[in-house]
């Protein structure tokens, strides 16, 4: 990724102009291993188990997966669009883009953590469905309700994510896979073309 940035900088460098901010365009990860937003929504569409509610010390409200779930995603997506639209004429402009992108990453961190847990199940993480739903509610509704048991599972999922380079496409490129007005389902979003090495097959998804 760093070499790709260097190559682009060498090709596009202009006298008196700062090097372009590219972090939101070039991401590293295993493109075959990850979770989609639909996987996360499903965890929020059912109420959590009574035993899990008691372990959290009280009743948790049903999280509205189609409104509260989308608000931070929409904000992060709009911010990425803003970053891309800005012309960096000075180093301060690039620094501003970098700061805004850090904000995007922070906004999406709970979603990435949950996506890591969902994906880690395929790599040996043992977690019950009720636990998974509770972690989903806590991460995206009230993280103060996470208990030690949940934090241990999150740490294990994070470790597996680093080892296997989980890559959650929707969260790495929200402006491509979510769009400015996210509906999250029944969409025809994505890149216009995808280039990959055989023997893997890729589906081309047109954008509208």
């Amino acid at each position: 990724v760093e070499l790709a940035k260097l190559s682009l900088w060498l090709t596009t460098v202009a006298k008196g102009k700062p090097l372009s901010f590219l972090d939101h365009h070039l991401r590293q990860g295993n493109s075959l291993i990850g979770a989609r937003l639909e996987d996360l929504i499903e965890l929020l569409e059912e109420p959590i188990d009574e035993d899990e509610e008691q372990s959290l010390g009280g009743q948790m409200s049903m999280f509205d997966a189609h409104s509260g779930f989308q608000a931070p995603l929409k904000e992060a997506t709009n911010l990425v669009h803003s970053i891309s639209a800005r012309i960096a004429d000075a180093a301060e402009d690039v620094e501003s883009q970098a700061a805004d992108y850090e904000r995007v990453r922070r906004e999406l961190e709970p979603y990435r953590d949950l996506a890591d847990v969902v994906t880690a199940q395929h790599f040996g993480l043992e977690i019950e469905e009720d636990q998974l739903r509770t972690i989903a509610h806590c991460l995206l509704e009230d993280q103060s309700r996470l208990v030690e048991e949940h934090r241990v599972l999150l740490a294990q999922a994070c470790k597996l994510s680093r080892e296997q380079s989980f890559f959650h496409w929707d969260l790495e490129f929200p402006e491509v896979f979510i769009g400015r007005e996210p509906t999250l389902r029944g969409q025809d979003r994505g890149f216009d073309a995808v280039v990959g090495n055989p023997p893997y097959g890729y589906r081309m998804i047109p954008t509208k």
Side-chain angles (χ1 to χ4, degrees):
V1 170
E2 295 304 317
L3 286 174
K5 289 181 189 177
L6 178 59
S7 179
L8 287 170
W9 283 329
L10 291 173
T11 302
T12 61
V13 65
K15 185 177 180 180
K17 299 289 185 179
L19 297 176
S20 302
F21 180 72
L22 299 173
D23 287 8
H24 60 309
H25 288 314
L26 294 171
R27 306 300 305 162
Q28 181 273 334
N30 188 328
S31 62
L32 302 178
I33 303 174
R36 303 303 299 266
L37 286 180
E38 289 84 352
D39 302 327
L40 311 188
I41 289 179
E42 289 177 1
L43 296 173
L44 300 167
E45 292 183 326
E46 296 181 27
I48 59 177
D49 181 83
E50 290 183 3
D51 292 335
E52 287 294 322
E53 288 176 357
Q54 293 175 3
S55 73
L56 293 170
Q59 177 75 27
M60 289 190 72
S61 63
M62 174 58 187
F63 191 80
D64 185 349
H66 297 291
S67 59
F69 183 90
Q70 295 185 44
L73 293 172
K74 183 176 180 180
E75 182 177 351
T77 300
N78 288 339
L79 194 52
V80 174
H81 277 291
S82 172
I83 293 170
S84 298
R86 273 181 257 162
I87 298 174
D89 288 321
E92 292 79 8
D93 299 325
V94 176
E95 291 173 1
S96 175
Q97 288 175 312
D100 282 347
Y101 190 60
E102 281 301 311
R103 179 180 158 198
V104 170
R105 301 293 291 176
R106 287 195 302 272
E107 288 281 349
L108 298 181
E109 186 174 1
Y111 298 85
R112 282 198 306 275
D113 289 343
L114 180 55
D116 284 346
V117 175
V118 170
T119 307
Q121 294 178 98
H122 302 289
F123 293 86
L125 181 69
E126 296 183 2
I127 182 171
E128 297 179 1
E129 188 66 24
D130 288 339
Q131 287 179 310
L132 184 56
R133 284 203 303 271
T134 300
I135 288 175
H137 281 264
C138 289
L139 281 174
L140 302 181
E141 188 174 26
D142 185 0
Q143 293 192 33
S144 68
R145 288 186 171 245
L146 287 167
V147 299
E148 182 61 26
E149 176 187 11
H150 301 147
R151 296 186 186 281
V152 169
L153 290 168
L154 284 166
Q156 292 173 347
C158 181
K159 182 174 183 291
L160 285 167
S161 177
R162 290 195 302 269
E163 292 173 352
Q164 302 294 333
S165 292
F166 294 169
F167 193 82
H168 314 298
W169 284 92
D170 296 342
L171 302 176
E172 294 296 341
F173 297 106
E175 75 281 16
V176 175
F177 289 94
I178 299 174
R180 290 181 180 270
E181 296 296 333
T183 58
L184 302 178
R185 285 182 171 169
Q187 296 187 123
D188 198 14
R189 298 189 184 277
F191 293 104
D192 290 309
V194 177
V195 179
N197 292 328
Y200 306 117
Y202 295 87
R203 182 165 65 97
M204 289 190 178
I205 309 173
T207 57
K208 292 186 177 179

